[in-house]
Amino acid sequence: METIDRCCLTFIAFLCVFKVCEPCQSVVAKRNQLFVPEGGSTHMSCEVVHCGLSWKGGWVFKDFNSTTFTQIFPSSRIHPSNDSMSANRTRLTIHIQSINQSDAGAYKCVISWPPQDLSSSGHLTYINVTAAAGVHWSIAEGSERKLSHRLLVCFGALMCFPIVLCVVWCLTQDRPSAPPVPPHPRTSITERVKANKEVVYAEVALNDRRPQKPCPKQEMQPTIYSSLHFK
């Protein structure tokens, strides 16, 4: 008998390892992040594995500034629904229409099991509300306007360029031209020395007003000067 019990337990463990048997009292949901434009719509889903046991609960919501979750109830924009997949599973789906900035936040499924006073929750799904399509169109139109303004500025700059050239040309014409620079004579040192061929001596006579004694005249001998030539 013990051998049979061991075989049964081994078979059950084998089935659970290969996910043949389903874990009861759990919530299956995938972590996700959605980007929805303002005014658009989206839907989310999770699965409750209950194995025929009684349960209650649904979707809860928390915005990015809050710390606690609140229960989501049906409204004109929000439509939660429960679809039975099998005797052991139920799918919880929520549809949100006309999304606005107040719908941005975290969503998840929370299920409670009354007999055991237990609770289970699935992974979070984050919804980020982006700008609407009309806003994108206005941004694109604004960028086109900026491009046209840039082209207009460039065209005006091109039209002013010839005027600036004319003003510069007129200012340069009024200025007197600089006198030409005389050519620098290229003469060697020897040529400069050859130009002075003769050495000229000057005779300086000083007149003394004091009375002078007559002195006999002496014959002046002629002085011969020689000229210097540089070769």
Side-chain angles (χ1 to χ4, degrees):
M1 188 70 180
E2 294 180 356
T3 304
I4 296 175
D5 293 339
R6 290 179 180 176
C7 291
C8 292
L9 291 175
T10 304
F11 181 72
I12 293 173
F14 178 79
L15 293 178
C16 290
V17 169
F18 287 92
K19 298 182 180 180
V20 176
C21 62
E22 296 179 341
C24 293
Q25 298 181 346
S26 62
V27 179
V28 180
K30 183 173 65 174
R31 183 178 289 107
N32 196 7
Q33 185 173 7
L34 304 176
F35 293 88
V36 184
E38 189 171 3
S41 61
T42 187
H43 71 279
M44 297 167 286
S45 64
C46 67
E47 295 181 6
V48 180
V49 182
H50 49 79
C51 298
L53 301 175
S54 61
W55 59 275
K56 63 179 180 178
W59 287 92
V60 294
F61 164 74
K62 179 186 73 171
D63 59 17
F64 292 115
N65 298 323
S66 300
T67 57
T68 58
F69 286 88
T70 57
Q71 186 76 26
I72 297 178
F73 298 99
S75 65
S76 59
R77 297 189 306 107
I78 301 175
H79 306 283
S81 61
N82 298 344
D83 300 325
S84 179
M85 301 175 61
S86 64
N88 298 329
R89 285 177 175 258
T90 301
R91 176 176 293 173
L92 277 63
T93 306
I94 183 171
H95 293 266
I96 305 176
Q97 299 176 348
S98 302
I99 287 182
N100 52 43
Q101 293 295 333
S102 63
D103 298 322
Y107 295 78
K108 69 175 180 178
C109 294
V110 177
I111 304 300
S112 61
W113 314 96
Q116 295 85 8
D117 195 16
L118 300 175
S119 63
S120 303
S121 61
H123 289 293
L124 295 174
T125 298
Y126 295 94
I127 291 183
N128 300 275
V129 180
T130 61
V135 176
H136 290 295
W137 173 257
S138 63
I139 293 174
E141 184 179 358
S143 62
E144 291 180 359
R145 289 181 179 178
K146 290 183 179 179
L147 180 59
S148 62
H149 291 169
R150 292 178 183 177
L151 293 176
L152 183 61
V153 171
C154 293
F155 180 74
L158 291 176
M159 293 298 293
C160 293
F161 185 71
I163 299 175
V164 174
L165 288 180
C166 293
V167 172
V168 172
W169 182 79
C170 293
L171 293 176
T172 54
Q173 291 297 320
D174 293 340
R175 292 183 178 181
S177 59
V181 180
H184 186 71
R186 297 182 179 180
T187 55
S188 61
I189 297 175
T190 56
E191 292 178 353
R192 294 178 183 177
V193 174
K194 287 182 178 180
N196 301 325
K197 293 183 178 181
E198 297 181 355
V199 177
V200 180
Y201 294 91
E203 182 179 357
V204 178
L206 299 176
N207 297 324
D208 193 359
R209 296 181 179 179
R210 293 177 299 176
Q212 298 180 359
K213 297 180 179 180
C215 58
K217 293 183 179 181
Q218 297 180 0
E219 286 185 26
M220 299 297 293
Q221 298 293 332
T223 302
I224 299 174
Y225 296 94
S226 62
S227 62
L228 300 179
H229 300 274
F230 294 93
K231 295 184 178 180

